[in-house]
Each structure stands twice: as structure tokens, then as C-alpha cells.
Amino acid sequence: MGYTHSFAYAPQSETFRATWLRLRLDAAAVIDFAKAAGIQLAGPDGRGLPVVSEGMIAFNGQGEGACEFFRIELTPSRLSKSGPFVWNFTKTAAKPYDMAVTAVLLRAHTLMPDHFAINSNGEWSDWMEARAINEALFTDTPPPTGEPFTDTSTGPAAIRR
């Protein structure tokens, strides 16, 4: 399957909806950071600009640096068949835009640990750049120091309770 990150979130929860604006602003900061570091980011189709809008955060690498797009939606078109959550994944193939994908995923989990679950077929040590970006940009809420990966197929902790 290649280097892939999975995530599950509860878009209908009060916590997710209350945190959405902050997550959008923080995702924009991560995207700006990645661009300043020379990472070429584009819209979901690998062209144009990354999308950070009222209803969506979506981006990909650019050109040869693209793989599968990353997307989080405020109001997704469908929920999981096994509960009121969205399950998704992004295969980045460890291309340079992976840094932005993992940084946004880690930020979402940090802001909403019970409402946004993350996992990866990589190791926690592979997320060093994402952790460093989160520590540099968001000093008010540092990322977890221990591995936050959980089984995303069953949804976030708020759903499993």
C-alpha cells in the first residue's frame, strides 16, 4: 500500500465544530511553513493552490511530488457505515508534502484528541518533522510526546466510548 496515514474524526461533534476555525487557521500556518521550507504544495489534483476554506482543508504535492490528496471536511458527504465518524487515509509515498500532511494530522489530534484519531504505517519517529513544526508554530498546545497512533477504523475515542 505504500507509506500511508489514516485518520478518523467526528465532524458532527460539538468539539470538532467548535475547533474547526482554529484547525483551519493552523493548517494554513502549516502550509505557509511548508512553502517557506521549499515544499511545493498544490490543490487536491496536484495543481493550483492548497484549499483552506470554510468547509475544507485539502492539498497535495505538486507535479512529480504529488501522490494522493489530503482532505478534511467540516461537512463530509458521507459518514462511516460503522458510526458517526469519517474514516480516511492519504498515501503520501513519503514524498515531501508528507511533512505538511503529518503536521496537520498531528495538530488536529492535539486540538481534539478524543475526536480526531490518527494512525500511520510508518513509525512515530518518522513524524519528527511534524512534531517539530507543531512545537515551533503552536507553543500554546504542544503535540503529544508519546506515540498517539490508534486504530482509526473504529473511529475516534469519543465514538468508541
Side-chain angles (χ1 to χ4, degrees):
M1 181 170 196
Y3 189 60
T4 303
H5 311 295
S6 63
F7 54 101
Y9 61 98
Q12 297 172 333
S13 74
E14 284 183 39
T15 300
F16 184 84
R17 296 186 96 57
T19 309
W20 177 248
L21 176 59
R22 180 152 186 203
L23 179 59
R24 284 178 33 221
L25 294 172
D26 292 353
V30 167
I31 289 167
D32 289 345
F33 185 95
K35 286 181 177 180
I39 305 300
Q40 294 182 336
L41 297 177
D45 65 356
R47 298 178 302 204
L49 298 173
V51 176
V52 180
S53 67
E54 254 183 63
M56 181 185 308
I57 299 164
F59 58 89
N60 200 336
Q62 188 176 45
E64 292 295 314
C67 195
E68 292 180 356
F69 66 87
F70 171 73
R71 178 181 64 211
I72 302 171
E73 296 175 280
L74 175 62
T75 308
S77 58
R78 66 182 171 86
L79 298 175
S80 170
K81 292 178 182 175
S82 54
F85 66 91
V86 172
W87 180 89
N88 207 343
F89 68 93
T90 301
K91 180 168 81 173
T92 65
K95 294 193 179 222
Y97 82 106
D98 179 75
M99 174 182 64
V101 170
T102 54
V104 172
L105 286 173
L106 186 57
R107 184 62 180 158
H109 175 75
T110 300
L111 290 172
M112 309 172 269
D114 288 341
H115 299 270
F116 202 103
I118 58 176
N119 205 341
S120 178
N121 66 0
E123 301 294 325
W124 180 229
S125 59
D126 297 330
W127 288 53
M128 292 297 286
E129 281 184 300
R131 291 156 59 187
I133 291 167
N134 274 260
E135 288 170 0
L137 294 178
F138 314 116
T139 57
D140 61 328
T141 50
T145 54
E147 181 179 299
F149 300 154
T150 61
D151 178 5
T152 57
S153 67
T154 58
I159 302 299
R160 293 192 300 266
R161 290 184 189 147

